[in-house]
Amino acid sequence: MRLFGEDILPLALEHIVLAVVPVLIGLVISLVLGWWAWRVPAVRRILVPLTGVLYTIPSLALFVVMPLILGTRILDPVNVVAALVLYAVALLVRSVVDGLDDVPDDVMTAAVAMGYRPVGLLVGVQLPLAVPVLIGGLRVATVSSFSLVAVGAIIGQGALGALFTQGFERFYTAQIVFGLVSIVVLALVFDALWVLVGRLLAPWTTASRGGSDRSRADDTAVGTGVEV
């Protein structure tokens, strides 16, 4: 599909790659750092606030500085990917720590008594139970990543964000709006995909939510005398 003199599908695919790949890389890094911070209180006191500070760095400034840090060309898409990995880590490390914190102590004790070692405990017990919190962090990181990719258009690597810059140059409102709506739609689609992944990996959360809703309905029926 070609609109506004641009092939939209390649731009959309490029936007997806630039937005999603950093989140996945950031998740892997955050799992390691978050687990380390969760196990070592001294590391937690330093690492969690430090990663949070990363997110306060203006994206455009980080995109411009990345070539100096990595030794890449200023128009290299690696600069955008690397910057977005940092932002993903900034958001996800705390989610990993919070998710591990939410695992009940009695479950941990029972798993250790059954012979689980640290790595097996993490993979087989802690991460599955931490899925709801991790999915929440991934949703925020993904939506943020889709929006930040558009900023890369200023350095020539913004995918659908290029519709913004071209639209402003041409004073063409329709092009700007189309670019904005396209990015929002893609972000919502991948947000929904994370929700689906969360339900597949942790189906008990949906069942638990349904049970709690049923319980609240029963309580209301008792109070009002209405049969449910």
Side-chain angles (χ1 to χ4, degrees), residues 45-56:
R45 287 193 294 269
I46 298 172
L47 186 60
V48 173
L50 180 62
T51 54
V53 169
L54 287 175
Y55 200 73
T56 65

Side-chain angles (χ1 to χ4, degrees), residues 138-182:
L138 283 168
R139 292 175 66 188
V140 174
T142 301
V143 171
S144 173
S145 188
F146 269 97
S147 64
L148 289 173
V149 167
V151 179
I154 298 176
I155 61 169
Q157 293 295 330
L160 288 172
L163 299 177
F164 292 173
T165 55
Q166 294 173 7
F168 279 115
E169 290 172 357
R170 301 172 181 173
F171 300 99
Y172 196 179
T173 303
Q175 186 173 4
I176 299 171
V177 172
F178 181 84
L180 175 62
V181 172
S182 299

Side-chain angles (χ1 to χ4, degrees), residues 190-207:
F190 277 85
D191 180 70
L193 286 176
W194 280 126
V195 172
L196 178 60
V197 169
R199 290 177 179 174
L200 292 175
L201 294 179
W204 59 85
T205 57
T206 303

